[in-house]
Amino acid sequence: MASSQKVFIEKLNDNPEYQKLLSGEPQTCGMRSGRVYLKPGDECGQHSTKAHEELLVFLAGNGEAIIGGKEKYQVGVGKVSYIPPHTEHNIKNTGTEPLVYIYCVAPIKEN
């Protein structure tokens, strides 16, 4: 089966703002991705992965991942976090420098 998707190369910018990378279909088979920039004290906001799995790759800074509404994990530069489907989570910048990370979200097949 031939794929209509094409190779995608994007340069990460240095702007202190959100940067969309992958927008899902038809650009990909369903994966979405972006670069998140959180200033000290900021957070992305509590939300659910719903029928998606999510990977976070931390590029700069330090923070906290609150998973399932209560479990807290230290995250930051050089760390990667996997968040399973149907999981509430939030990312907070608890450091003094910007917390920058890439998220990749992919749909799952549900029975």
Side-chain angles (χ1 to χ4, degrees):
M1 179 176 181
S3 173
S4 63
Q5 287 72 35
K6 305 222 184 304
V7 172
F8 178 80
I9 307 291
E10 178 72 24
K11 181 172 175 50
L12 295 176
N13 65 44
D14 292 328
N15 297 336
E17 57 195 30
Y18 173 79
Q19 179 184 4
K20 183 187 268 186
L21 299 173
L22 299 173
S23 57
E25 294 182 42
Q27 183 184 26
T28 69
C29 295
M31 179 183 288
R32 292 179 288 118
S33 182
R35 188 203 58 153
V36 178
Y37 182 102
L38 296 175
K39 295 177 185 173
D42 283 355
E43 59 186 74
C44 72
Q46 181 85 3
H47 61 287
S48 174
T49 52
K50 298 182 183 173
H52 297 82
E53 56 186 350
E54 185 168 0
L55 176 72
L56 307 177
V57 179
F58 293 90
L59 305 174
N62 291 291
E64 187 173 73
I66 300 93
I67 310 294
K70 55 187 168 192
E71 292 188 62
K72 296 181 180 181
Y73 300 89
Q74 296 304 305
V75 296
V77 64
K79 293 189 177 181
V80 173
S81 175
Y82 171 77
I83 303 172
H86 303 289
T87 303
E88 292 283 329
H89 62 285
N90 189 7
I91 306 298
K92 293 183 178 182
N93 183 343
T94 58
T96 59
E97 300 293 325
L99 179 61
V100 181
Y101 62 94
I102 303 287
Y103 72 87
C104 296
V105 179
I108 61 164
K109 292 182 182 178
E110 294 196 285
N111 298 329

